Amino acid sequence: MSNTMSGIDRRIVKSKMALREALISLMQQKDLKDISIKDIVQTADLNRGTFYKHYQYKEDILSEIMDDVIADLIASYREPYKDIDQFKVSELTSSAIKIFDHVSKYANIYTLIIHSNALSGYEDRICHVLKELFLQDFSDYIFNPKINKELHASYQAYAIVGLIIEWVNGGLKYSPMYMAEQLLEIVKSNRQRV
């Protein structure tokens, strides 16, 4: 269950999930600007009153969806080191890397982010979130004083997003585990050359 819907009445959760799924389904067929509230409620098999009980605009649904995706992205990114006092890349295993499981879980959203004009700003938001996570959680691990921490964080964020884009554009033909293994090998390879 999503972060924004935990602790809410099950009927509300069911209605909101139906509206969210309807919007995502419709966005796979046409642009957000061409989707009406009538389209959403008909696809969700709900009435307009139910929509307006929970949302004012269709963009509110999208915002709620993306807030949940971002929250899960953050949790997935931090998964390999959440219970570790001192993080060492040399001890990291591919099974601990969960970011590609996250992308797989939200594959329809990531496909829309990459291919839809309506969600183009979210690719930048994801990069920004990953950059901030790196700065918050790993800036102390940059031992070379010549390396600008902001630039290094950007490099890391865009590298991960680049892998995600390549994976999505390739139709997610590789498993999340394979992608995690590849990311780990790339990270270890980069550390060996430094």
Side-chain angles (χ1 to χ4, degrees), residues 59-74:
E59 291 82 4
D60 296 339
I61 299 173
L62 189 56
S63 179
E64 186 177 89
I65 291 168
M66 291 310 300
D67 287 347
D68 285 348
V69 170
I70 295 296
D72 193 71
L73 171 68
I74 292 167

Side-chain angles (χ1 to χ4, degrees), residues 72 74-88 92 96-98 133 137-138 141:
D72 193 71
I74 292 167
S76 299
Y77 182 88
R78 287 184 162 151
E79 184 65 28
Y81 59 90
K82 71 177 185 177
D83 296 322
I84 297 174
D85 292 330
Q86 180 145 9
F87 181 73
K88 296 179 182 174
L92 184 61
I97 298 172
K98 299 299 180 192
L133 283 169
D137 300 350
F138 293 107
Y141 289 94

Side-chain angles (χ1 to χ4, degrees), residues 75-193:
S76 299
Y77 182 88
R78 287 184 162 151
E79 184 65 28
Y81 59 90
K82 71 177 185 177
D83 296 322
I84 297 174
D85 292 330
Q86 180 145 9
F87 181 73
K88 296 179 182 174
V89 172
S90 60
E91 295 175 6
L92 184 61
T93 63
S94 57
S95 62
I97 298 172
K98 299 299 180 192
I99 198 161
F100 297 104
D101 291 317
H102 158 81
V103 173
S104 179
K105 177 180 173 182
Y106 293 102
N108 56 356
I109 304 293
Y110 277 90
T111 300
L112 286 172
I113 289 170
I114 294 166
H115 297 130
S116 167
N117 292 334
L119 297 178
S120 60
Y122 285 104
E123 191 175 312
D124 290 336
R125 183 175 171 196
I126 289 168
C127 284
H128 178 74
V129 166
L130 292 174
K131 178 182 174 182
E132 290 302 311
L133 283 169
F134 185 83
L135 286 170
Q136 290 170 17
D137 300 350
F138 293 107
S139 65
D140 292 342
Y141 289 94
I142 302 171
F143 299 113
N144 185 338
K146 292 181 180 180
I147 296 176
N148 178 301
K149 290 181 181 190
E150 291 276 330
L151 292 175
H152 192 220
S154 290
Y155 170 81
Q156 295 293 336
Y158 282 94
I160 291 171
V161 170
L163 282 174
I164 291 169
I165 290 169
E166 186 68 24
W167 189 37
V168 170
N169 282 339
L172 300 161
K173 66 181 176 184
Y174 303 114
S175 70
M177 179 57 79
Y178 178 81
M179 293 302 294
E181 289 167 355
Q182 290 299 298
L183 176 60
L184 185 57
E185 289 303 318
I186 291 167
V187 169
K188 286 181 177 179
S189 174
N190 286 341
R191 290 181 59 83
Q192 290 170 356
R193 287 188 286 145

